[in-house]
Amino acid sequence: MKYISTRGASPEANFDTVLRKALAPDGGLYLPKSWPGPRDWRAMKGASFPEIAAEVLHLFAGDEMSREEAGRLTEEAFATFRHPDVTPVVDLGGEKVMELFHGPTLAFKDVAMQLIARLFERSLEKSGGAMTVVVATSGDTGGAAVSALANREHLSICALHPHERISGVQRRFMTTSGAPNVLNLAVEGTFDDCQAIVKELFADRDFAAEVSLGGVNSINWARITAQVSYYIWACLAVEGDDIHFSVPTGNFGDVFAGWVAKKLGAPVGKLIIAVNENDILDRALRVGIYEKRGVLPTSSPSMDIEIASNFERAIFEASGRNAEMTADLMACLRETDRFRLSKELRAELAKDFVSYKAGEPEVRAVMAVFAAHYGTLLDPHTAIGIHGARRAREDALEGPIVTLATAHPAKFPEAVAAATGKTPDLPVSSEQLFSQDEVFSVVPSDTAAVKEALRGLK
Ligand SMILES: *Cc1c(COP(=O)(O)O)cnc(C)c1O
């Protein structure tokens, strides 16, 4: 399998390169050079989640990984989940909900991170050497990455979070691993400051080479392939020829994985882009103008993003894989903070995607109704997905809708308690979070200070 960049000016790459270098040299994102033909996934009915994930991984790694090896990796990765079905589809208050939060850090990012950690380890075992993974996190990504990479032989992990701006549960998932290869830096600044520092680290090529920097953020293609599996899994669990999904969306990685599942022949209908007050995608689809306006903090912090990086992949596909147009729109965004979607592009996107926005009162209302009527606590991200599903049904979307539950309510106890008056319990396996010591260093919002700390880790 060969990969190309959405901006058309990078050499073709293989799966291993795409895994290690999430961003193409021309600044674009990688996609398969040609899509594998659609399959009849129904032939896999009854297969386990790891088996489906292995099929998908084998498909995208091509001859770089045997089906047997893919099977071993996915078995191991998803054995870390607390539920035997890994990502069960359940009925909740008349809604179909796929629970993606049974992994070690109670958020859907565990699905991809557990697999990608093993892919990195395998890649480094083959090539020799070591890698230092650096992530900026507003909460969930850091915990999922630390949990997946702690104590690995060839890898170390440095997570940068904004000091005193993430929840205690989120922080403890990063800071209580006790592993020698984990470095937690609490940056005296915002999430944007953390992200800016990480960008500068990668931009300093000498430094990046010195400590063998690697990244696991949501533009990494390998992360998306891991997420494709649960859409196919849900299509096998739910009867129907047109199964819609409502996806709480930030960076567009998760919902794009749904589009890929459809491309591979899974009976996916519409993909509902469910957003919070950071509604750049909703505005782009409804009005045709994709425009940065700054980030508003909400009760669903993992969706508080200014631009949705993976949307570039959707634009590339919707334009008939027009790399020149994609590169032009991205340059326009860089220079003017906005771009316009043509009528043709909007019509093409509308074939697969619809969008709904939930304001804070609506999020609270969904959480309150589910707690009062069904005795179920939803986390705020999942509530935004449910809101999207209900709105789509009001707008006459027919057929089953599966909402992705992207986080366990115990990960956002303050928001859940404020909306419902109830405090969610942590699953038993997470109780140790509060009995273990935290390890992290507070650093100024300064790239030189972070470099110093990283050199110490190596
Ligand atoms: C990351 C995250 C999202 C958004 O996923 P994207 O792939 O960025 O769209 C939604 N919910 C939760 C809980 C998350 O951690």
Side-chain angles (χ1 to χ4, degrees), residues 246-263:
S246 180
V247 188
T249 301
N251 234 328
F252 207 81
D254 201 7
V255 71
F256 187 73
W259 184 92
V260 175
K262 185 171 184 173
K263 194 85 186 155

Side-chain angles (χ1 to χ4, degrees), residues 107-109 140 227 248-254 302-303 381 406-407 412:
F108 92 95
K109 292 191 172 68
D140 289 340
Q227 292 168 219
T249 301
N251 234 328
F252 207 81
D254 201 7
S302 301
M303 294 160 59
H381 305 78
T406 50
F412 299 94

Side-chain angles (χ1 to χ4, degrees), residues 106-109 138-141 170 218 223-224 227 230 247-256 274 281 300-305 308 310 379-382 404-408 411-412:
L106 313 181
F108 92 95
K109 292 191 172 68
S138 58
D140 289 340
T141 306
Q170 287 181 317
S218 81
R223 252 179 86 170
I224 293 183
Q227 292 168 219
Y230 50 70
V247 188
T249 301
N251 234 328
F252 207 81
D254 201 7
V255 71
F256 187 73
L281 288 164
S300 44
S302 301
M303 294 160 59
D304 290 346
I305 56 102
N310 283 290
D379 99 281
H381 305 78
T382 305
L404 306 195
T406 50
H408 190 286
K411 204 137 189 203
F412 299 94

Side-chain angles (χ1 to χ4, degrees), residues 100-440:
L100 300 176
F101 53 66
H102 294 287
T105 71
L106 313 181
F108 92 95
K109 292 191 172 68
D110 286 322
V111 178
M113 227 46 109
Q114 287 295 330
L115 188 58
I116 207 177
R118 288 164 174 85
L119 292 173
F120 272 136
E121 190 83 331
R122 167 184 181 268
S123 172
L124 289 164
E125 266 162 19
K126 289 196 164 172
S127 67
M131 188 189 280
T132 305
V133 168
V134 185
V135 288
T137 182
S138 58
D140 289 340
T141 306
V146 166
S147 162
L149 295 171
N151 295 312
R152 296 211 172 262
E153 202 184 326
H154 305 276
L155 290 147
S156 28
I157 160 90
C158 169
L160 277 67
H161 71 267
H163 187 40
E164 290 177 344
R165 289 178 197 237
I166 64 174
S167 83
V169 176
Q170 287 181 317
R171 192 185 62 242
R172 282 172 175 275
F173 274 119
M174 294 192 277
T175 57
T176 59
S177 74
N181 68 332
V182 174
L183 175 66
N184 281 291
L185 299 178
V187 174
E188 290 175 317
T190 63
F191 170 62
D192 288 333
D193 295 327
C194 297
Q195 219 165 12
I197 292 172
V198 170
K199 276 199 181 138
E200 282 182 29
L201 295 176
F202 278 96
D204 180 343
R205 289 182 188 222
D206 293 337
F207 178 77
E210 180 192 329
V211 301
S212 310
L213 276 196
V216 291
N217 65 16
S218 81
I219 55 170
N220 192 304
W221 172 251
R223 252 179 86 170
I224 293 183
T225 61
Q227 292 168 219
V228 172
S229 316
Y230 50 70
Y231 286 93
I232 296 172
W233 163 263
C235 286
L236 294 177
V238 175
E239 298 294 320
D241 294 328
D242 245 346
I243 299 158
H244 315 294
F245 288 88
S246 180
V247 188
T249 301
N251 234 328
F252 207 81
D254 201 7
V255 71
F256 187 73
W259 184 92
V260 175
K262 185 171 184 173
K263 194 85 186 155
L264 296 183
V268 174
K270 284 277 192 278
L271 292 155
I272 299 166
I273 300 168
V275 297
N276 66 21
E277 281 167 9
N278 295 289
D279 60 350
I280 185 165
L281 288 164
D282 187 54
R283 284 183 279 120
L285 263 68
R286 286 176 196 276
V287 189
I289 296 174
Y290 185 91
E291 183 178 36
K292 270 166 85 167
R293 284 194 187 160
V295 184
L296 299 167
T298 71
S299 62
S300 44
S302 301
M303 294 160 59
D304 290 346
I305 56 102
E306 192 167 20
I307 58 164
S309 311
N310 283 290
F311 192 49
E312 179 169 346
R313 289 189 159 111
I315 290 175
F316 179 72
E317 293 291 345
S319 66
R321 304 200 126 199
N322 185 335
E324 203 182 325
M325 176 197 272
T326 309
D328 284 349
L329 291 181
M330 294 304 141
C332 184
L333 180 66
R334 222 166 30 245
E335 283 150 25
T336 66
D337 283 348
R338 71 204 296 263
F339 61 77
R340 186 181 288 278
L341 291 170
S342 68
K343 231 168 61 202
E344 296 73 28
L345 220 43
R346 279 170 75 192
E348 199 54 39
L349 287 166
K351 288 181 186 166
D352 296 318
F353 300 103
V354 291
S355 70
Y356 292 97
K357 163 186 176 177
E360 288 293 293
E362 292 160 312
V363 181
R364 278 197 298 275
V366 171
M367 288 197 282
V369 165
F370 269 69
H373 293 198
Y374 313 116
T376 301
L377 298 182
L378 300 176
D379 99 281
H381 305 78
T382 305
I384 291 167
I386 297 276
H387 173 266
R390 294 187 154 183
R391 288 288 310 279
R393 216 174 283 118
E394 282 164 21
D395 283 349
L397 184 66
E398 284 176 15
I401 305 177
V402 178
T403 296
L404 306 195
T406 50
H408 190 286
K411 204 137 189 203
F412 299 94
E414 295 85 3
V416 175
T420 67
K422 299 195 178 81
T423 302
D425 293 326
L426 276 172
V428 188
S429 58
S430 306
E431 270 167 11
Q432 59 179 30
L433 267 188
F434 284 89
S435 57
Q436 273 162 4
D437 288 338
E438 291 193 74
V439 182
F440 65 93

